[in-house]
Amino acid sequence: MASCGGWSFLSGSLLLFLFGFISLLSIHGEAATKKYQFDVQVSNVSRLCHAKPIVTVNGRFPGPTIYAREGDRLIINVSNHAQYNMSIHWHGLKQYANGWADGPAYITQCPIQTGNSYVYDFNVTGQRGTLWWHAHIFWLRATVYGAIVILPQQGTPYPFPKPDGEQVLVFGEWWHGDVEEIVKQGNAMGLPPNMSDAHTINGKPGPLFPCSEKHTFAMEVEQGKKYLLRIANAALNDELFFAVSGHNMTVVEIDAVYTKPFTTSAILIAPGQTTNVLVYANSAPGRYFMAVRPFQDVPIPVDNKTATAIFQYKGIPNTVLPSLPVLPMPNDTEFALSYGKKLRSLNSRNFPANVPLKVDRKLFFTVGLGKSVCASCINGTRLSASLNNITFVMPKTGLLQAHYSNLKGVFTPDFPDKPPKAFNYTGAPLTANLFTSHGTRLSKIAFNSTVELVIQDTNLLSVESHPFHLHGYNFFVVGTGTGNFDPAKDPAKYNLVDPPERNTVGVPTGGWSAIRFRADNPGVWFFHCHLELHTGWGLKMAFVVEDGPGKDQVVRPPPKDLPAC
């Protein structure tokens, strides 16, 4: 009997093993290749009683949403029919050892010339949630952007209540004039370009603006059901508050990483960031405004008008006037800081937070906004920006190509780990540049080393908040604070258990943020402020992460159709 019992046990174990193995094959077999055709073209679009030609993808504004599952392969052929050279960045996708598909112009590729095409070919590995894509050259992402929805693998549930429906909401900005011409005019004056004329939700400003009858986005909901809102901030220069009148939201994900759920009346989302929230349609049936407006806690001119969309219960006629939500005040720093403290990684068994506890390389970057001499500018000076007193100069050759082919004279791998001179970073305005230099200087990082980077705002001309995006990586935001970072005291306050994991971090006005990541993705990876204004002024740099020892830990060869400069 013992023998029979043992055989029965072994047979059961074998069956379980085979079932599990077949299940894994089944899950793997369901990974698909998704193909998209992106035609970059000029289309006539009307908003706020103004019609103008804009650059679009497939004639749509915003562009098409990309849908995939974790594990899928994406092949996206981008054909450029517009008058501008073009590149597309798949914001938040890690592109392991495959920077050729990352997209920032002159960093990982040269732009796609007018009349040419380029195929972005990459896998979606170990990521699920909401991300987005956008043009990554000049200010063309003002109209060239869209969402990326990555569903979990088949049979893998969400770690939160399954929604009855989903809706993508992408926030943006709208200018009456030609954005590229507006930027050129600002540069000629040595001043910031004119601010936008409206914010938008899915490309539409809503009924608080003129000529809005066709330009208001609405989603229909049913009483008693719950909805997942997939939110991306594609605005060029504004952090935004968002709220739904008469409804709270439960935050469940940021930057395609699950979070510990918490309920809030409003969210804060910086350019480049994404946030998923659950909304329960449990209020009195009616029509409710969803609204966005900027957060700006320093006296800098912004487009502070409120864009709206409609959260409409089924069966309610359009004649019912929607109610507006109570949004935080534009300068509500207290809300902004408290909201950030509520963000925590889920850190569950299935979704652990693998925070680096030992740090191999410590970096300290100061953010500076100042002025520099400009002989061609009408005022003789222009606004500029720097990291560690270096204003980044864009190369004319793709940096990844230069690194991969060992081309000389394109960049130097000597970006400093800290600023050349320490000072009271957030004290009285210095109105000086501290001898800012210009150059294409990169920071070289050893493969698989752990990095801690503290980003410190400074008060050269003025303090200001900065959303910083790191290409090719997620990172953990282990600490944030106001004033000057104190290396003796502040690290003791770090959250090393369940800090939020992101690809874009907000550095608070007159404060600092500390991030940690493991440099396990070889290649050249852009690091920049996601305010297009500041990026254009030079608030950017790049990391060169060296190859690893394994055959799969080196940068892949470039594709044959890689655009030439």
Side-chain angles (χ1 to χ4, degrees), residues 111-196:
I112 307 165
Q113 305 288 317
T114 301
N116 291 352
S117 298
Y118 178 53
V119 176
Y120 292 92
D121 186 345
F122 54 91
N123 295 321
V124 180
T125 304
Q127 292 183 273
R128 80 295 304 163
T130 304
L131 295 170
W132 66 298
W133 58 266
H134 60 85
H136 211 300
I137 183 169
F138 309 127
W139 281 44
L140 292 174
R141 74 176 175 93
T143 58
V144 180
Y145 62 81
I148 303 173
V149 173
I150 306 169
L151 300 172
Q153 290 179 334
Q154 290 280 8
T156 302
Y158 294 124
F160 49 80
K162 183 180 179 181
D164 299 298
E166 298 186 1
Q167 180 62 60
V168 170
L169 299 176
V170 185
F171 306 150
E173 292 181 82
W174 174 264
W175 279 261
H176 290 323
D178 183 314
V179 177
E180 291 302 311
E181 289 302 316
I182 291 170
V183 173
K184 288 179 183 177
Q185 291 168 10
N187 289 341
M189 295 290 292
L191 297 171
N194 292 341
M195 60 188 173
S196 58

Side-chain angles (χ1 to χ4, degrees), residues 61-74:
F61 171 63
T65 297
I66 291 174
Y67 289 92
R69 283 197 182 276
E70 181 182 349
D72 283 352
R73 178 185 179 188
L74 283 169

Side-chain angles (χ1 to χ4, degrees), residues 44 98 122 152-153 155 200 237 240 284 371 381 393 412 419 425 433 455 461 474 497 510 529 549:
N44 287 319
N98 186 32
F122 54 91
Q153 290 179 334
T200 58
N237 294 307
L240 296 169
K371 290 184 178 181
T381 61
V393 176
T412 56
Y425 304 114
N433 283 338
I455 314 160
L461 288 180
N474 281 357
V497 177
C529 180

